[in-house]
């Protein structure tokens, strides 16, 4: 196969950041994707419908001419989130749901949730109104090994949450373990998961062997090979519970290559090509359209895309850096070869 045409994909987990950086991040994703779920972990966080709509307007100002890219806004869940805010979100077509960050779990998550059980009235409203909950699934207890934090979160937080609210529409984002795959498969059709290119293409050896590789550092952290293989199997299984979410997370090169480097892989410049690389390696290119273009839209209740994009089998090298208003950024897979290009 030398060409592959598929419906325009959607990115169900995307960080664009804000202000001057939007001039780089928005066109990079809008070139490929039709829709994207925009993460709300700005400083200060996007906690209300009003803040989300203002952020959306800033994003739209940076769309390439003629682009119909649609940013779908997530609200940042905090201990101060109310049922009234959930009701407002349910009435706004541009708000897709709420993002649950355990406080301290990842970039700009200090304002996140500290007591999940105390928000039961909010989760009840979300379940009744079918407002999705998008979950960063890790505990933050310093006594818990970083490689076990996803499993512990699933067992101690998610299972009890869904037992209390079985109709809650929930996406476990950027899953990294076989435990997460099993959990999602055990649940009903109201539970799904996104998978990133880095967790499909790499494991923790790619982070730690031969020296620490800061541009492969993300949260949740890369896990051992057996977990990578479980994700790979899920992605090509044809199950509608697993779909594309890049978690593309831009950071300046100077902040990644630092004594205390930040977490996140900026995959947007080669996002679809990276997924194509993985599906090709798995001899499963026939499954890419469902994973990238269909299953996420189906889960969230949007129409499937009718516009198409085409990939051509032609080797190219991901650039070493991307110039931005905050200085150079190193994209994920920098200086490495990919086998597929966008036509």
């Amino acid at each position: 196969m030398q060409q592959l045409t598929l419906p325009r994909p959607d990115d169900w987990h995307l960080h664009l950041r804000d202000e001057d950086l939007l001039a780089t991040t928005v066109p990079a994703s809008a070139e490929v994707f039709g829709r994207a779920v925009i993460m709300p972990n700005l400083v200060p966080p996007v906690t209300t419908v009003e803040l989300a709509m203002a952020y959306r307007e800033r994003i739209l100002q940076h769309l390439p001419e003629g682009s119909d890219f649609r940013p779908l806004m997530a609200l940042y869940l905090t201990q101060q989130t109310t049922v009234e805010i959930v009701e407002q979100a349910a009435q706004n077509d541009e708000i897709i749901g709420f993002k649950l960050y355990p406080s301290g779990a990842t970039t700009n998550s200090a304002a996140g949730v500290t007591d999940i059980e105390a928000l039961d009235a909010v989760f009840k409203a979300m379940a009744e109104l079918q407002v999705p909950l998008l979950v960063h699934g890790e505990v933050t207890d310093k006594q818990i090994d970083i490689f076990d934090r996803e499993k512990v979160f699933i067992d101690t937080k998610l299972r009890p949450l869904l037992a209390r609210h079985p109709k809650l529409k929930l996406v476990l984002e950027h899953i990294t373990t076989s435990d997460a795959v099993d959990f999602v498969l055990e649940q009903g059709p109201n539970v799904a998961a996104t998978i990133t290119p880095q967790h499909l293409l790499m494991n923790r050896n790619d982070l730690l062997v031969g020296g620490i590789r800061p541009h492969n550092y993300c949260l949740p952290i890369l896990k051992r090979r057996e977990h990578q293989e479980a994700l790979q199997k899920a992605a090509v299984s044809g199950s509608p519970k697993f779909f594309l979410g890049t978690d593309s997370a831009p950071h300046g090169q100077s902040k990644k290559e630092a004594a205390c480097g930040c977490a996140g892989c900026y995959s947007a410049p080669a996002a679809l090509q990276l997924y194509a690389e993985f599906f090709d390696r798995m001899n499963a290119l026939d499954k890419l359209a469902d994973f990238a273009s269909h299953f996420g839209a189906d889960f969230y209740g949007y129409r499937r895309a009718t516009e198409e994009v085409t990939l051509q089998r032609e080797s190219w090298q991901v650039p070493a850096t991307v110039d931005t208003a905050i200085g150079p950024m190193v994209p994920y897979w920098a200086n490495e070869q990919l086998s597929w290009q966008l036509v």
Side-chain angles (χ1 to χ4, degrees), residues 142-281:
K142 293 182 179 179
Q143 303 304 311
I144 304 298
D145 190 288
I146 191 170
F147 294 103
D148 297 330
R149 291 182 177 187
E150 184 173 86
K151 173 178 168 47
V152 173
F153 186 90
I154 290 169
D155 292 341
T156 64
K157 301 299 179 183
L158 280 194
R159 291 188 189 280
L161 176 62
L162 285 169
R164 298 193 303 273
H165 306 285
K167 295 184 180 180
L168 184 64
K169 199 174 183 73
L170 185 147
V171 180
L172 184 53
E173 301 202 294
H174 46 48
I175 60 172
T176 66
T177 61
S178 60
D179 308 281
V181 171
D182 293 342
F183 167 77
V184 171
L185 289 173
E186 290 166 10
Q187 306 304 313
N190 57 308
V191 177
T194 58
I195 310 180
T196 74
Q198 61 265 29
H199 291 108
L200 291 171
L201 290 165
M202 289 184 172
N203 58 60
R204 65 188 189 183
N205 279 358
D206 298 290
L207 175 64
L208 298 170
V209 171
I212 297 174
R213 303 176 186 277
H215 298 288
N216 295 343
Y217 172 53
C218 58
L219 290 172
I221 200 165
L222 297 170
K223 304 298 195 296
R224 65 170 66 244
R225 184 181 300 277
E226 66 191 60
H227 292 297
Q228 178 194 14
E229 290 173 347
L231 300 182
Q232 292 173 335
K233 181 178 178 181
V236 302
S237 68
S239 169
K241 285 176 160 286
F242 304 101
F243 42 83
L244 185 156
T246 64
D247 193 20
S248 179
H251 293 283
Q253 183 175 6
S254 61
K255 290 192 174 182
K256 291 287 287 181
E257 299 173 6
C260 186
C262 52
C265 296
Y266 181 48
S267 58
L272 185 58
Q273 300 94 314
L274 286 160
Y275 283 107
E277 184 82 15
F278 162 71
F279 276 81
D280 196 7
R281 292 182 184 182

